[in-house]
Amino acid sequence: MTPQATDLAPRPLPAHGAPTDVTDSPGPFVVVHSLTSVVGMNLNMDMDHLPKTLRLGGAERMRVSSQSLTRAAREYMRTDRTQQHPGAHALSTRSLPTAVAQQLETEHDVDTADAHPLAALVVAASGLSINPSRPGQTKVMASVPADAPAQLAGIVMTHLKDLDGPRDAMEDTIAHWVATSRGTATSPADDDPVSPLKALPKSLVTAAKAVLAPGTVEEIALFGRFLAELPGPAGRTFSAAHIAHGFGADPLNRHTDEFTAHDDYQEGGVFSGSGMLGRQYLVSGTLYRQASLDRRQLRQTLALSGRSEADVEALAQSAERRWTQAIVRSLPKARRSRHGSPPRPTLAVIATSDEALTASPAFEEPVTIQPAGPHAAARLAAYLHHLGLRQGTALWQSPAGEAPPALPDVLTVKGF
């Protein structure tokens, strides 16, 4: 096909040979260390809309929380159109019953009055409890396969002829919950729909539980989940990925940005002065980040899906490639539409190791020499010699054309 000027599809990355691919390198852990210089951003704000900070080595530093970095990596993996495949993604939601009902209505032409009790039935059969106060939601936030609504709706349609009685019972249960909660300030009693579930075909229950089985979704195998309602390994999937809090290698540089919002009616002489005054708080500096991936844990979780050893290994290698790419290239959004595009790291090291060690002690004494980025890179490179790296890649993008620092010999230096 001849490329068009309006072709918006990104170029696909090769399965092997990408700069972040270390799947052929030996070692039980993949470790990523990176330094990124950010200018005038608030990557992670606290409840007062101030940039998060920490103190280290007697100096206040910028901080980007582990949760924020994890979320950014997950979003990158979900939206990176160069490396998508079925079964890769999960969703965190309480609205699974509503999503299943919508699937039944739009994809299978099920009447709305029937779709909601049927959806509540199949979600409850999977092991998740329905919220009596809001029957369109589950009691807890659940990490489920992105295609769980479609899978569960398909299970309903497969067993539809056997669900007349359970559907009516579930409809009565939901009506009882709604009547109990209407006009009261308290939630109704947490009565699980036990009676409707007892009448469900065993094959439906087995199929519904299989949708939430561990090891079936790459993202859950990488980042883990905890669903107390599900027994055994289905409810507790240990994270194979460990992402540390990012922090500034140099002392905190905080800026107060006082802004004025212009009101277009000012031009017509309706009134004078600004439409609105406000302020926001930004930081600049060099951010150090570290993350690691437990390759054994990843494969153990994926094996719970019942796949063959070869399929587990292929999926694990795919997960490694996608995870390392996301860790290196993702940053929290930081109001990106207002603050500009995110920068690439000055230095990113992707390697395998026998231990998942951080290089944070290298920056206990803050970098005070300017420019901080290259000096932080030299300090990180020196510290990496003591971390026992097995094999990997160092991605170097010099701010001013400098040669890369003296990195361990086991690393191949490349550009992004």
Side-chain angles (χ1 to χ4, degrees):
M1 184 179 73
T2 304
Q4 301 295 318
T6 54
D7 183 4
L8 305 181
R11 290 178 296 175
L13 293 178
H16 290 276
T20 55
D21 184 5
V22 292
T23 52
D24 293 332
S25 302
F29 293 97
V30 177
V31 291
V32 180
H33 305 270
S34 67
L35 290 166
T36 307
S37 294
V38 298
V39 179
M41 289 187 173
N42 188 347
L43 293 174
N44 191 199
M45 66 178 64
D46 63 17
M47 294 182 67
D48 297 320
H49 301 286
L50 294 172
K52 289 186 177 180
T53 63
L54 58 76
R55 289 195 66 82
L56 178 65
E60 189 177 16
R61 318 283 187 94
M62 81 164 85
R63 178 171 70 89
V64 181
S65 72
S66 171
Q67 299 93 321
S68 179
L69 293 171
T70 299
R71 176 69 178 174
R74 296 179 85 150
E75 287 185 340
Y76 184 97
M77 293 176 68
R78 292 171 181 175
T79 57
D80 178 16
R81 299 303 176 190
T82 64
Q83 301 187 71
Q84 298 288 352
H85 63 83
H89 305 306
L91 294 176
S92 296
T93 182
R94 295 183 67 178
S95 301
L96 186 57
T98 298
V100 175
Q102 291 172 347
Q103 280 282 325
L104 290 170
E105 293 176 43
T106 59
E107 301 298 325
H108 301 285
D109 296 324
V110 175
D111 186 80
T112 301
D114 294 332
H116 287 274
L118 287 170
L121 270 177
V122 73
V123 171
S126 73
L128 298 175
S129 297
I130 306 299
N131 184 355
S133 300
R134 296 181 178 179
Q137 296 183 345
T138 53
K139 284 185 180 178
V140 298
M141 183 81 75
S143 181
V144 300
D147 62 350
Q151 289 192 63
L152 292 173
I155 292 169
V156 168
M157 298 309 298
T158 300
H159 297 82
L160 190 60
K161 67 179 187 304
D162 300 318
L163 296 180
D164 288 345
R167 181 201 60 215
D168 292 342
M170 191 71 223
E171 192 171 358
D172 292 341
T173 299
I174 292 175
H176 169 70
W177 286 339
V178 172
T180 303
S181 62
R182 184 179 294 133
T184 64
T186 58
S187 298
D190 291 344
D191 297 325
D192 289 328
V194 176
S195 298
L197 292 184
K198 286 181 177 178
L200 289 177
K202 289 185 178 180
S203 56
L204 182 149
V205 175
T206 300
K209 290 182 180 297
V211 172
L212 302 188
T216 58
V217 180
E218 183 178 301
E219 185 177 326
I220 294 175
L222 279 167
F223 295 102
R225 73 176 180 194
F226 179 59
L227 295 177
E229 295 179 317
L230 303 184
R236 185 188 295 271
T237 302
F238 292 98
S239 174
H242 305 271
I243 300 175
H245 292 265
F247 67 91
D250 48 348
L252 176 69
N253 292 294
R254 183 188 287 122
H255 324 287
T256 301
D257 176 27
E258 296 179 342
F259 61 86
T260 301
H262 185 83
D263 191 308
D264 290 331
Y265 272 113
Q266 290 173 278
E267 300 296 337
V270 177
F271 64 90
S272 61
S274 62
M276 183 181 70
L277 297 174
R279 65 182 58 178
Q280 60 183 345
Y281 303 93
L282 310 174
V283 293
S284 298
T286 298
L287 180 71
Y288 168 70
R289 292 181 287 159
Q290 183 267 344
S292 63
L293 181 66
D294 186 334
R295 299 169 116 179
R296 289 196 184 103
Q297 181 64 60
L298 176 62
R299 284 156 175 78
Q300 287 172 5
T301 300
L302 292 173
L304 294 174
S305 65
R307 294 182 176 93
S308 68
E309 185 176 344
D311 287 344
V312 166
E313 182 60 27
L315 191 56
Q317 291 191 21
S318 168
E320 285 186 19
R321 286 191 291 270
R322 298 178 67 249
W323 180 81
T324 51
Q325 174 87 348
I327 293 298
V328 169
R329 292 181 177 267
S330 66
L331 273 178
K333 289 184 178 177
R335 297 182 180 179
R336 192 168 297 162
S337 62
R338 300 293 180 92
H339 295 172
S341 301
R344 284 178 175 168
T346 300
L347 174 63
V349 173
I350 308 98
T352 54
S353 177
D354 292 328
E355 295 181 276
L357 298 175
T358 179
S360 57
F363 305 109
E364 184 173 6
E365 179 182 343
V367 176
T368 56
I369 307 174
Q370 296 298 322
H375 289 92
R379 196 184 291 185
L380 174 59
Y383 197 87
L384 291 176
H385 286 272
H386 306 289
L387 295 188
L389 303 181
R390 296 273 296 268
Q391 191 175 329
T393 300
L395 304 179
W396 172 250
Q397 183 159 314
S398 168
E402 303 98 334
L407 291 155
D409 293 338
V410 295
L411 299 175
T412 301
V413 180
K414 296 182 179 181
F416 284 85

